[in-house]
Amino acid sequence: MVRIRVLVVDDHRIFAESLAAALAAEPDVDVSAAGSGTAALRCLERAVAEGRRFDVLLVDADLGASAGSVPAQRASGSGPPPSSGTDGIALVAGVRGSHPAVRTIVLAERDDPRRAAVALQAGASGWVAKDCSLSRLLAVIRGVLREETHLPPALLTGVLRELTAARKHRSDSERLVESLTPREHEVLRCMVAGLGRKDVAARLFLSPHTVRTHMQNVLGKLGVHSTLAAVALARRAGVRPAELAGDVVERSGQLA
């Protein structure tokens, strides 16, 4: 029998323990639990080191919103103490980047098309109500392992609307970024990395006055009035920050 390894990530102790116990009663499911995003990531890393990778994460959409936390624990024992700092959607994105083979399902107390769309964009394979039946949850778990995406029918229209709007917003942002010159684009990448004017000048071998001019041009072409707004737009467009470590910067022959 092929066993499914599930990690429940929820900081509500009673809910987490009840769900873990219900899942553990299934003959083909091994279940563990973690009370915070940081504890969950430690569980994932430990499982990889021990050659027992998890298949599915069940993540509380409101992880970290409550004061309490559940100790990271296995169905047959206890694990390391919990820690906080990673919310549910952020955890989904982090797992997608560091453990791409793991499928994540978000458990939510209420239907929210906008947050469900954000979760899917972060890499979640499903959004399920916390009060759904065990048979429904097991069907979703097995479905995501077949590369299926699961949403409650009542959320489909709203989620599609949110994803369409986000795609349009991203394409508009991409067109604005494409209007920048190569030098302005590099300045924007430095801005996304959090560098100030003097640091950008030192990095690109330019005078602070020249960098100021480039930054003003970037803001004007992007149609925004602040660095924070420019960075937000750049992130929507997929602009990557300039590397800050181990990055050799060569003097450009292009005129500033």
Side-chain angles (χ1 to χ4, degrees):
M1 178 185 298
V2 177
R3 304 191 66 81
I4 303 172
R5 298 204 68 225
V6 177
L7 178 62
V8 177
V9 188
D10 197 303
D11 53 8
H12 295 79
R13 178 187 296 275
I14 295 176
F15 176 84
E17 291 180 349
S18 298
L19 179 57
L23 291 171
E26 295 295 313
D28 62 339
V29 177
D30 290 330
V31 62
S32 305
S36 70
T38 307
L41 292 173
R42 289 203 303 266
C43 287
L44 288 172
E45 294 297 337
R46 185 169 63 248
V48 170
E50 295 173 354
R52 300 179 298 103
R53 300 173 185 269
F54 284 99
D55 301 301
V56 177
L57 257 67
L58 302 179
V59 181
D60 178 18
D62 298 314
L63 185 67
S66 66
S69 61
V70 178
Q73 60 182 359
R74 299 205 48 197
S76 58
S78 61
S83 58
S84 59
T86 305
D87 64 34
I89 306 303
L91 177 61
V92 170
V95 170
R96 181 185 187 183
S98 58
H99 302 275
V102 178
R103 299 291 175 260
T104 56
I105 299 168
V106 177
L107 304 178
E109 292 186 355
R110 60 189 180 280
D111 287 344
D112 187 331
R114 186 190 63 80
R115 294 191 71 203
V118 171
L120 292 181
Q121 289 175 312
S125 296
W127 178 280
V128 180
K130 276 192 168 184
D131 60 358
C132 75
S133 67
L134 180 61
S135 60
R136 165 64 178 164
L137 180 57
L138 287 168
V140 173
I141 290 173
R142 295 187 169 99
V144 299
L145 290 176
R146 297 192 297 269
E147 306 296 332
E148 298 172 0
T149 300
H150 284 258
L151 287 170
L155 277 183
L156 285 176
T157 300
V159 169
L160 288 175
R161 185 183 301 116
E162 292 287 340
L163 291 176
T164 299
R167 189 176 300 113
K168 181 181 184 301
H169 204 177
R170 178 181 175 90
S171 62
D172 290 343
S173 300
E174 289 173 341
R175 282 194 292 271
L176 290 172
V177 169
E178 288 172 358
S179 71
L180 302 179
T181 67
R183 174 65 82 192
E184 290 166 351
H185 191 274
E186 185 61 28
V187 169
L188 178 60
R189 291 186 65 219
C190 292
M191 294 165 65
V192 173
L195 298 181
R197 188 190 311 164
K198 291 183 179 180
D199 291 330
V200 176
R203 177 186 174 83
L204 301 181
F205 304 101
L206 302 173
S207 71
H209 176 75
T210 298
V211 171
R212 179 182 180 183
T213 299
H214 283 315
M215 286 183 167
Q216 290 174 338
N217 290 340
V218 168
L219 296 185
K221 289 184 177 180
L222 298 184
V224 297
H225 301 287
S226 69
T227 297
L228 287 177
V231 169
L233 186 150
R235 290 190 179 280
R236 287 197 300 270
V239 175
R240 298 179 59 186
E243 296 292 337
L244 300 182
D247 187 19
V248 178
V249 180
E250 299 180 356
R251 186 184 301 272
S252 172
Q254 178 183 2
L255 292 177

